[in-house]
Amino acid sequence: MPDNARAAGIALGVAVDAVIGDPRTAHPVALFGRAAAALERRIYRDSRASGVLHVALCVGAAGALGLLVERSKSQAVRTLATAAATWAVLGGTTLAKEGAYLADALEEGDAERARERIPHLCGRDPKHLDEAGMARATVESLAENASDAAVAPLFWGAVAGVPGLLAYRAINTLDAMVGHRSPRYECFGWAAARLDDAANYIPARITGLLAAAAGPDRAGALAVLLRDGHKHPSPNAGRCEAAFAGALGVTLGGTNVYGGRTEHRPTMGDGPAPRVRDIRRAVRLTRTVTLAAAALAVLASRQR
């Protein structure tokens, strides 16, 4: 039977996000992050088992909260709860605003202002980036985060309602907190990183297909996605970046510096390196992908 509460809630949450973006104060994701950090301080051990426990408790609590809401017999309550959860976990509008901010700064020739903003989008060391490097970093971050910030939460909201929305954002937040490779998190963060890979596997490929479909050369973008999507060290980010590269007619990838650590990544695409003007094109593509994913999530929810 169609779940009209889920479909209506997702649609309402997307609309609220489009109008006002992320909550300005007491963001639920930030509150979750503080709770997860406090738990980490209590149970941290340099072992995978400790990391598994951390992930299980944090994601389990988020999912359990969602299940309590899903058990309500009131369609109005479930609709409003789904809308609130969608708004809280969806980051598509804020992502596009960050890209537009960087486009403004670089178009005005204010490289220092752009460098100060780069950490809002990615973990690269901004002092190593010139204008071309910041343009590429922005386009790549918009591509990857189109999945993490928009398509993935909408996918899991359509599949599992409020529990799916909250659990996905918990997983993605934990990956950002402890899933990166470092001496402290090499073992402890293993579970968070692997679970995030699994949660994003299907959404990343949906993102790639939507980006390819939205580009001016759909066949060419799809060809780049299929040819280059596997080249990225991430099992998911490469699908998004390759599709954006094909859709925008640029080449992504190359050398990146993260806190003194240098990575040399394969290139994806056939065109020139991104320029500042390509940032706005990437922002428009991100918005198109978000809207398309929202429409699909609503339609899928109504078919349940």
Side-chain angles (χ1 to χ4, degrees):
M1 183 175 71
D3 190 339
N4 293 323
R6 183 176 298 180
I10 290 174
L12 181 57
V14 170
V16 173
D17 179 69
V19 173
I20 63 177
D22 287 339
R24 293 183 179 275
T25 58
H27 196 300
V29 176
L31 296 176
F32 170 83
R34 286 197 285 272
L39 178 62
E40 178 193 339
R41 289 192 293 270
R42 287 180 172 273
I43 70 171
Y44 176 84
R45 300 289 186 278
D46 187 19
S47 69
R48 288 187 176 183
S50 181
V52 168
L53 177 62
H54 183 247
V55 168
L57 291 174
C58 291
V59 177
L65 178 61
L67 283 172
L68 287 176
V69 174
E70 289 282 288
R71 294 183 64 180
S72 173
K73 295 182 179 179
S74 168
Q75 182 162 311
V77 169
R78 287 189 290 116
T79 297
L80 292 175
T82 302
T86 300
W87 174 41
V89 307
L90 194 61
T93 297
T94 298
L95 175 64
K97 286 181 178 179
E98 290 294 336
Y101 181 97
L102 280 160
D104 288 340
L106 290 172
E107 287 169 357
E108 294 168 6
D110 194 342
E112 287 307 310
R113 181 159 64 98
R115 285 193 185 91
E116 291 175 359
R117 201 71 173 192
I118 283 289
H120 288 242
L121 273 180
C122 64
R124 293 177 209 181
D125 190 340
K127 69 174 178 286
H128 292 280
L129 298 175
D130 57 11
E131 181 180 281
M134 285 188 279
R136 178 167 69 84
T138 302
V139 173
E140 289 175 353
S141 297
L142 287 169
E144 180 178 355
N145 286 298
S147 178
D148 291 359
V151 178
L154 289 167
F155 172 82
W156 287 110
V159 169
V162 178
L165 289 162
L166 299 185
Y168 172 76
R169 185 50 67 207
I171 292 167
N172 191 245
T173 302
L174 290 175
D175 179 60
M177 293 176 64
V178 305
H180 51 88
R181 290 190 176 183
S182 68
R184 177 177 175 83
Y185 295 128
E186 184 71 28
C187 292
F188 184 83
W190 173 84
R194 297 291 78 76
L195 186 57
D196 185 71
D197 286 343
N200 283 291
Y201 188 88
I202 295 175
R205 283 146 183 83
I206 294 174
T207 303
L209 292 173
L210 290 176
D217 181 3
R218 295 175 182 175
L222 182 60
V224 172
L225 169 60
L226 295 175
R227 186 193 71 199
D228 296 341
H230 68 283
K231 293 180 178 180
H232 198 283
S234 164
N236 299 320
R239 270 63 184 187
C240 306
E241 292 186 20
F244 267 62
L248 298 172
V250 300
T251 293
L252 301 178
T255 301
N256 299 331
V257 179
Y258 300 91
R261 175 172 52 88
T262 301
E263 292 186 6
H264 302 282
R265 295 182 176 178
T267 56
M268 296 173 284
D270 298 314
R275 288 174 284 185
V276 173
R277 69 183 185 189
D278 293 312
I279 295 176
R280 292 204 184 274
R281 298 173 61 223
V283 169
R284 289 194 294 270
L285 183 57
T286 299
R287 287 179 172 142
T288 300
V289 167
T290 298
L291 289 174
L296 290 175
V298 172
L299 288 173
S301 296
R302 290 183 62 85
Q303 299 305 312
R304 289 182 57 82

